[in-house]
Amino acid sequence: MFQHIVMMQFNDRVDDHFFRTVDEYVLRVKNECEGVLLYHFGENIADRSQGYTHVTSSSFIDSAAHDVYQVSPAHVAMKTFMADYIERVVVYDGTVPRFTT
């Protein structure tokens, strides 16, 4: 499994319209991108968030599915829309081993 986590700090321009629009993009990604196991946008409630108030967490069947997602029209449109609102961003990409007992 491949994980892609994006932590974001937004500027003061974010409003209800911004969050509604992002939620629409999340649904679009889920519907249009194959190989997505999990795709979530939400608030970061960690007390050690260092200002990164929101996160997109996603899991893919493998790194190839993540690569396809990166250039998909749904993801490109979402990134384009969000770009003017993001002050800081940090990304984690990596393969997660399967859990076995």
Side-chain angles (χ1 to χ4, degrees):
M1 181 173 61
F2 190 87
Q3 281 195 313
H4 174 65
I5 299 169
V6 181
M7 295 174 55
M8 296 161 275
Q9 178 182 14
F10 296 125
N11 59 34
D12 294 337
R13 295 181 52 220
V14 296
D15 57 12
D16 289 341
H17 174 262
F18 169 82
F19 289 109
R20 282 192 308 272
T21 303
V22 171
D23 287 341
E24 291 171 9
Y25 280 118
V26 167
L27 289 175
R28 186 174 165 196
V29 166
K30 288 178 179 180
N31 289 326
E32 295 180 20
C33 298
E34 291 187 36
V36 175
L37 300 172
L38 166 79
Y39 199 83
H40 170 76
F41 173 80
E43 186 176 0
N44 181 1
I45 61 170
D47 60 357
R48 298 174 295 178
S49 68
Q50 299 180 21
Y52 293 102
T53 59
H54 289 79
V55 64
T56 301
S57 55
S58 50
S59 298
F60 301 85
I61 57 172
D62 55 24
S63 63
H66 171 258
D67 292 344
V68 171
Y69 151 82
Q70 283 292 325
V71 296
S72 70
H75 178 248
V76 171
M78 182 177 181
K79 281 178 49 175
T80 300
F81 171 75
M82 293 178 77
D84 289 337
Y85 298 91
I86 297 173
E87 290 220 357
R88 294 188 313 151
V89 63
V90 63
V91 177
Y92 165 80
D93 285 331
T95 301
V96 178
R98 290 187 180 266
F99 179 76
T100 58
T101 55

